[in-house]
Amino acid sequence: MDISKATNQQLYEIAKDDGARMKERYAATKELQRRKQEKANEALKVDIQNQENRWF
């Protein structure tokens, strides 16, 4: 299975599956973390482009 094409739900299920190989569980977890960070970075870019400050 190509981890990069899996949905977040599929990745979560792989990560939580005790029967899956540790390598696959780790890859699924890392992909979920990468997507979360990518989403946060994208939100930051939008804030900068719109000159919004959400710290206040």
Side-chain angles (χ1 to χ4, degrees), residues 28-46:
T29 303
K30 292 301 287 183
E31 179 65 16
L32 284 168
Q33 290 173 340
R34 185 193 68 77
R35 290 180 185 186
K36 182 177 180 181
Q37 185 62 44
E38 186 177 276
K39 187 176 180 181
N41 288 343
E42 188 63 34
L44 182 59
K45 288 178 187 176
V46 169

Side-chain angles (χ1 to χ4, degrees), residues 1-7 9-11 14 24 27-28 35:
M1 176 181 202
D2 187 3
I3 294 290
S4 65
K5 294 182 180 178
T7 66
Q9 182 64 37
Q10 291 170 326
L11 291 171
I14 293 169
E24 293 170 352
R35 290 180 185 186

